[in-house]
Amino acid sequence: MTVEPAAGPAEPLRPGDQPVPARDDRNWMLSPDQQARLEAAIVEWLLPSLAAILDRPEAETAARATEATADFFPLYRGRPIRNNKGGGLINDSLCLYLVARLLQPATIVESGSYQGHSAWLLRQACPAAEIVTFDVRPEQLRHREPDIDYRAGDWSEAALPAFDPARTLVWFDDHISHARRLVEARRRGFRHALFDDNFDAYSLYATGGAPVPTLAMTIDRGLADGEEIVWMRHGKTYRYRVDGAACSAARAAIEAYHPLPDLSPITRYSPASGMTYARIAP
């Protein structure tokens, strides 16, 4: 289920309400010693979540995460899409890169190609993976990698290459219900999934077209079936009525649930948008 704005005129924007574009292109640590300290702080911050995702000891995960984090920054500086506003910025990009690189899936499916930044990033993280990316608005695509399969349309019924369920990753950044996407991924045999925009019910004001019910909402026992949630974003009012059956079906599909912590307290770049890993029950 997608969220529709509530009927009625939108309130006019007041001065200062416009979102400020990210400026991570202009802000870099150029001192090698301090860059190394930044990378160490990032790894320390993310390590418990990364180790839980891999189901490996932190000591084992740390060495791999340290190497991958060091590799990320020069890659990101050379990215083909310089302005990915509306898609993943540096904090989300780093988390996506790390999870994909540490998991090393043989098959990756992306729902939400947008301009092509995340598909490019997944290719950098997993050079040998077979990658298929979907978008219902393919006209937005600006960059194509030569060995990625770009498709127009929704992923849910499309034919996919044969894959080993244990070595898969599906990445959802498409503003479609997380509950729906999780059930689809389980039905199609995927075991590892990443979701963007995983907002709690009480913070939906931070986004407009929220993928409700989000993962966080599916496990929130404080939400009542049929409850109406109303929020405002940039002067526009949105409404969603809780679908208890959808939340229950999604909960049954979750074997493990690990939100990645927001990197902005470490990097001081714009906050991430709630990337969360789910291991899908067979």
Side-chain angles (χ1 to χ4, degrees), residues 77-194:
R77 293 191 199 193
R79 64 197 183 282
I81 302 295
R82 306 304 300 176
N83 180 4
N84 198 42
K85 185 180 177 183
L89 302 177
I90 187 167
N91 289 328
D92 280 338
S93 294
L94 176 53
C95 289
L96 177 63
Y97 177 83
L98 287 177
V99 172
R101 177 156 162 177
L102 296 183
L103 282 174
Q104 279 301 301
T107 303
I108 301 173
V109 171
E110 174 185 50
S111 181
S113 312
Y114 189 39
Q115 298 188 93
H117 168 76
S118 51
W120 167 83
L121 192 64
L122 289 166
R123 170 56 70 221
Q124 309 315 304
C126 304
E130 186 164 17
I131 301 176
V132 185
T133 180
F134 293 86
D135 205 297
V136 296
R137 295 182 58 194
E139 69 277 5
Q140 298 178 109
L141 190 67
R142 293 176 52 208
H143 175 80
R144 288 178 177 266
E145 287 289 299
D147 57 351
I148 289 179
D149 185 358
Y150 295 86
R151 301 193 195 175
D154 187 78
W155 94 292
S156 55
E157 300 297 334
L160 297 175
F163 58 81
D164 174 1
R167 300 191 61 207
T168 57
L169 175 65
V170 58
W171 158 235
F172 294 113
D173 186 13
D174 57 11
H175 300 275
I176 300 297
S177 161
H178 284 174
R180 169 186 160 183
R181 290 310 199 199
L182 188 61
V183 170
E184 289 173 351
R186 186 186 194 186
R187 174 175 54 81
R188 304 205 73 175
F190 284 79
R191 292 284 282 136
H192 302 281
L194 271 174

Side-chain angles (χ1 to χ4, degrees), residues 5-22:
E11 293 184 6
L13 287 175
R14 297 182 177 89
D17 281 350
Q18 293 285 3
V20 177

Side-chain angles (χ1 to χ4, degrees), residues 1-6 175 204 208-212 229 231 237-240:
M1 177 183 295
T2 56
V3 176
E4 297 295 338
H175 300 275
L204 288 173
V212 290
I229 303 173
W231 68 100
T237 303
Y238 296 84
R239 300 179 186 274
Y240 168 70

Side-chain angles (χ1 to χ4, degrees), residues 38-99:
L38 170 64
E39 292 167 8
I42 289 169
V43 171
E44 181 180 8
W45 190 254
L46 294 176
L47 186 57
S49 294
L50 294 174
I53 289 169
L54 296 180
D55 197 19
R56 297 287 186 182
E58 289 189 11
E60 178 184 329
T61 305
R64 296 177 60 198
T66 297
E67 180 182 24
T69 301
D71 289 344
F72 169 80
F73 284 93
L75 280 172
Y76 188 80
R77 293 191 199 193
R79 64 197 183 282
I81 302 295
R82 306 304 300 176
N83 180 4
N84 198 42
K85 185 180 177 183
L89 302 177
I90 187 167
N91 289 328
D92 280 338
S93 294
L94 176 53
C95 289
L96 177 63
Y97 177 83
L98 287 177
V99 172

